[in-house]
Amino acid sequence: MPAPGLYLHVPFCSAICPYCDFAVRTGGRERRARFVEHLLEEIELWSEKPPALAGFDTVYLGGGTPSCLLPEELARVLAAAFAQLGIATGARVFLEANPEDVNPAALAAWRDLGVATLSLGVQSFAPEELAFLGRRHDARQARRSVELALAAGFETVSIDLIYGLPWQAPSTWRRTLDGAIQLAPHHLSCYQLTFHEGTPFGARRARGALAELAEPAQAELFALTHAVLADAGYPAYEVSSFARAPEHRSRHNRKYWDHTPYLGLGPSAHSFDGRRRWWNERGLDAWERRVAAGERPLAGSEELGRTELALEALLLGLRTAEGVDLAVLRRRYGVDLSAANGPLLARLAADGLAALAGGRLVPSPAGLAVADGLAAAFVLDAA
C-alpha cells in the first residue's frame, strides 16, 4: 500500500458562502487561536496510532480557509504534526487559500513552511458570479492572487472553479475557462454547483426561489470543461481534476480515490485505515469539549465489508482517467469483475462509455460524466 495521508481541517472562513455545506464558521483572532491549541492537543492524542497510519507522505491543510490562520499558527501545527505523527521526510504539504488572503508576505511565509501545493479558491472571474456565490474577492484579486502565487515559486499552483450556476451559458463558462488558462496555473479543479440541504441555497430551492441548472445544460458544461481543458494541455485525471503534467496531480486526493489509509484531524474530519472509517464531531464546540477532556473526538465509525469496499473502489476508480485495476480489485476484495459482468462490459464498450484496456476498466470522457451510474450497474460478489 502507498503511504497514508494526513488531513487537518481548519473550520474558519471570513464569511460562509451560500452553497457551502462543510463544517465551517466565522471566528475572530481569539477564537482561531483557541482552535489551534485544541488541534495541537488532538495531534498529541494521535501520537500512538495503528500501523496502517504510519509514515504519512502528504499533509493537507483544508477547510474552511487554512490561510486565515497566522503563519506562526500554521507553523506550530505543522511542527507538532511532523514531530508527533511520524510524517515522512519530504512529505508534500498542501494548503488551501482564498484570493483575498494572498499577498507577497503571506506567500513567502507559506513557502517557508514547506508548502508545495497552493490551492486557490477562485471559483469565478465574473463579477456577477462571484457576487451570487458569496465570494469576498473580486475578479482582479482572483487573477492577481494566481499571478503572485506562480511568481512565488510553489511547485504546484491550483485554481478551484465552480460551474453550473442557474443562468450560466456555455459561452459564459468558456470565458472563465479561457481566463484561467491564460494565467497558466499547474492544476485546475472544476466543480459543478450543488444545492445542499442546510445551506442558504438549499433553503432557497426548497422555497421555490432558486432552481439548479437543468441536467442537459449541466452535461453540456461538463463536456465543454473536459474538451477545452484537454485542448489547452490540461487533461482530466479525475472527474473534476485537471493537471498540466503528471507531477502536478494531487498525491493527497488520490489516497481517497484508491483506498489508501488517511487520518483526519479537526472538526468533521474523516479517517480510514483500510477497513474501518471514522469521523470526528462536526461542531467546533463539541469537538473542542472532547479534545479538552483528553478524548479522541470521534462521533461515529463504520466497519466496511469486502463487498462494500469493492463497490467503493469501483465507484471511485470509474471517476478517474486511469479507471479500475481489475487485478487489484480481485486481490484486495475477491471480486472478479469480468467474470460476473461480461454482458455489461460489452454494452459499455459498445456505447462508448468504458472499455477494458491493459487489465483496467477505463471510462471514456462520456463515461466520466455518468461514473456513479456506471458503478451502480455492476454485480459485485465478493468471496
Side-chain angles (χ1 to χ4, degrees):
M1 290 289 290
L6 174 66
Y7 174 78
L8 301 169
H9 184 76
V10 178
F12 296 107
C13 285
S14 56
I16 309 304
C17 298
Y19 57 85
C20 180
D21 71 334
F22 295 135
V24 297
R25 61 184 290 175
T26 57
R29 180 59 54 206
E30 183 178 334
R31 190 69 185 86
R32 296 173 189 181
R34 187 160 78 247
F35 159 77
V36 169
E37 297 302 326
H38 285 101
L39 184 57
L40 295 173
E41 291 178 31
E42 189 184 14
I43 289 171
E44 186 174 359
L45 290 170
W46 280 96
S47 57
E48 294 185 11
K49 53 193 178 300
L53 295 174
F56 301 110
D57 70 351
T58 61
V59 181
Y60 195 106
L61 289 149
T65 313
S67 60
C68 73
L69 295 184
L70 297 173
E72 52 265 36
E73 292 172 331
L74 292 171
R76 292 180 65 204
V77 169
L78 288 173
F82 272 82
Q84 299 182 52
L85 298 179
I87 296 172
T89 302
R92 191 174 187 90
V93 179
F94 299 73
L95 177 73
E96 292 180 349
N98 278 333
E100 62 267 27
D101 295 329
V102 172
N103 57 63
L107 291 167
W110 300 334
R111 290 282 290 118
D112 289 344
L113 291 174
V115 173
T117 295
L118 184 67
S119 179
L120 298 171
V122 168
Q123 315 311 359
S124 177
F125 295 105
E128 67 278 8
E129 293 180 356
L130 289 170
F132 175 75
L133 294 170
R135 305 300 292 170
R136 295 177 65 84
H137 61 271
D138 59 27
R140 183 194 62 79
Q141 282 179 301
R143 286 189 290 269
R144 185 61 175 156
S145 70
V146 179
E147 293 166 349
L148 288 172
L150 290 167
F154 292 92
E155 293 177 30
T156 299
V157 174
S158 181
I159 297 177
D160 284 2
L161 298 173
I162 291 178
Y163 66 97
L165 280 63
W167 66 85
Q168 195 168 44
S171 58
T172 306
W173 174 234
R174 175 63 189 262
R175 283 196 296 272
T176 291
L177 289 174
D178 287 342
I181 292 165
Q182 288 170 9
L183 291 168
H186 307 102
H187 185 280
L188 287 151
S189 295
C190 299
Y191 302 107
Q192 289 180 271
L193 178 63
T194 302
F195 296 168
H196 297 282
E197 290 186 17
T199 66
F201 277 178
R204 289 173 63 186
R205 179 185 58 183
R207 297 196 307 268
L210 191 64
E212 291 174 308
L213 190 65
E215 284 192 16
Q218 291 272 13
E220 183 178 3
L221 294 181
F222 179 92
L224 177 67
T225 303
H226 283 248
V228 168
L229 292 179
D231 287 347
Y234 295 89
Y237 66 97
E238 188 263 346
V239 165
S240 57
S241 304
F242 308 82
R244 205 164 69 190
E247 62 266 27
H248 297 305
R249 297 172 183 172
S250 177
R251 279 171 44 191
H252 183 84
N253 288 345
R254 179 167 183 155
K255 298 179 189 300
Y256 304 141
W257 306 330
D258 65 10
H259 274 165
T260 298
Y262 52 88
L263 176 65
L265 304 182
S268 81
H270 283 56
S271 304
F272 177 67
D273 67 2
R275 286 284 181 181
R276 177 172 167 264
R277 182 174 288 115
W278 63 94
W279 50 92
N280 277 355
E281 296 280 3
R282 179 177 174 88
L284 177 59
D285 294 339
W287 173 82
E288 287 186 332
R289 283 194 297 270
R290 298 282 300 278
V291 171
E295 305 173 20
R296 291 178 178 175
L298 307 185
S301 66
E302 59 181 352
E303 196 79 22
L304 300 173
R306 296 178 77 180
T307 301
E308 294 168 304
L309 288 166
L311 178 59
E312 280 194 4
L314 179 62
L315 187 148
L316 294 169
L318 286 173
R319 292 174 60 88
T320 69
E322 291 182 349
V324 180
D325 187 320
L326 301 188
V328 171
L329 198 69
R330 185 166 53 249
R331 183 173 67 249
R332 282 189 183 179
Y333 311 119
V335 170
D336 190 333
L337 203 68
S338 297
N341 297 277
L344 174 60
L345 291 170
R347 188 167 71 250
L348 293 177
D351 292 342
L353 296 175
L356 293 176
R360 308 183 77 93
L361 177 61
V362 181
S364 67
L368 282 176
V370 293
D372 293 355
L374 293 185
F378 282 85
V379 173
L380 300 180
D381 209 1

